[in-house]
Amino acid sequence: MKTIMATCRHRVLWGLLLLMWAGLCLPVCVEVPSGTEAVQGHNMTLLCISCMQREEVYAVTNVEWYYQPRNGNRSLIFEYNEGKTREHLSPFKGRLQWIGSKDLQDVSLILHNVTITDSGLYICIVNRTLHFEAHQHSTMSNVEIDLMVSEIQREDFTSVLSEIMMYILLAFLTLWLLIEVVYCYRKISKAEEVTQESVTDYLAIPSENKESCPVPVEEQ
């Protein structure tokens, strides 16, 4: 009986873990690519995620955002330095909003009121200085976003399909977990019935014959 219950608990626990994993797809920092299509008059998130692999190490992070138009030169439009943000003189002046996270692994911007002329290449450069006990180490990473602005919003079938697949996965895991619970319940109930029947049969044996009758032993 104990073996059956332990096995059932193990299977149900694995089901719960899988269900939790499916519901919490991003428990840690994941470098997700930014969208590359925007709609005129709407806001656009310029996503820049640069994960730091050694979170236990103190680090100083500086961020620079550049913009390069089609067939044009690159120019600095936004800067994060020593905890302060600064917008540089550009066509985006007053339309850029810093939405970076506290740990500075997400250093994204929101571009408000997008226009057709905002199409072009956006470059996010992240400089980190890791402070170890004996030395310092500098790293640099960059993310490029080739943005295309359109007048009418187009349906994103990829995101819709991904969302549908996620709901299907959650439904499947929930159904599988329910089946496991029912299966384990029936198996435990059956084992209890067999044990009860064995005990009842033993009690029904006359006293003079019990010495030669083995006592039913519960399965371990």
Side-chain angles (χ1 to χ4, degrees):
M1 178 71 70
K2 292 182 179 180
T3 303
I4 295 175
M5 294 183 67
T7 302
C8 288
R9 282 197 298 266
H10 180 74
R11 296 175 67 171
V12 172
L13 179 61
W14 270 108
L16 288 172
L17 290 175
L18 287 173
L19 195 60
M20 292 175 62
W21 172 82
L24 302 174
C25 298
L26 300 177
V28 295
C29 179
V30 179
E31 296 184 6
V32 182
S34 173
T36 57
E37 294 185 0
V39 181
Q40 182 178 6
H42 290 69
N43 298 337
M44 175 65 188
T45 299
L46 302 172
L47 189 63
C48 181
I49 298 178
S50 178
C51 297
M52 186 172 66
Q53 303 301 324
R54 298 288 300 273
E55 289 83 356
E56 72 277 8
V57 177
Y58 173 73
V60 175
T61 303
N62 297 320
V63 183
E64 294 177 338
W65 275 93
Y66 291 86
Y67 169 69
Q68 183 175 345
R70 313 287 186 204
N71 302 320
N73 297 323
R74 187 172 73 171
S75 60
L76 181 63
I77 61 174
F78 194 92
E79 186 177 7
Y80 175 94
N81 189 10
E82 296 183 355
K84 297 181 180 179
T85 60
R86 178 188 175 190
E87 280 190 76
H88 290 261
L89 184 61
S90 71
F92 309 100
K93 183 73 172 179
R95 295 193 292 134
L96 295 174
Q97 178 186 351
W98 170 263
I99 55 171
S101 60
K102 291 183 178 180
D103 59 6
L104 295 179
Q105 300 199 79
D106 184 350
V107 291
S108 305
L109 294 178
I110 292 180
L111 176 57
H112 292 270
N113 193 23
V114 176
T115 66
I116 294 295
T117 57
D118 292 339
S119 296
L121 187 64
Y122 294 80
I123 304 101
C124 170
I125 299 179
V126 181
N127 292 285
R128 297 189 195 278
T129 302
L130 304 177
H131 292 260
F132 296 92
E133 293 184 0
H135 69 285
Q136 297 180 3
H137 177 69
S138 296
T139 63
M140 185 182 72
S141 62
N142 70 290
V143 174
E144 295 185 354
I145 305 169
D146 192 1
L147 186 66
M148 177 65 70
V149 180
S150 59
E151 296 181 358
I152 302 175
Q153 185 172 7
R154 295 182 294 180
E155 293 186 8
D156 188 355
F157 292 101
T158 302
S159 61
V160 173
L161 181 61
S162 299
E163 186 174 357
I164 292 175
M165 292 301 295
M166 177 57 67
Y167 282 122
I168 292 176
L169 177 60
L170 288 173
F172 171 77
L173 289 176
T174 303
L175 179 61
W176 178 78
L177 181 60
L178 180 61
I179 293 174
E180 286 292 331
V181 171
V182 173
Y183 169 78
C184 290
Y185 174 78
R186 294 183 63 181
K187 195 168 184 178
I188 293 173
S189 298
K190 183 65 175 178
E192 290 178 347
E193 290 177 3
V194 172
T195 302
Q196 185 64 34
E197 290 177 359
S198 300
V199 173
T200 302
D201 293 342
Y202 175 77
L203 294 176
I205 299 175
S207 300
E208 59 273 13
N209 296 331
K210 286 184 178 180
E211 295 180 358
S212 60
C213 181
V215 178
V217 179
E218 183 178 310
E219 181 182 355
Q220 299 295 322

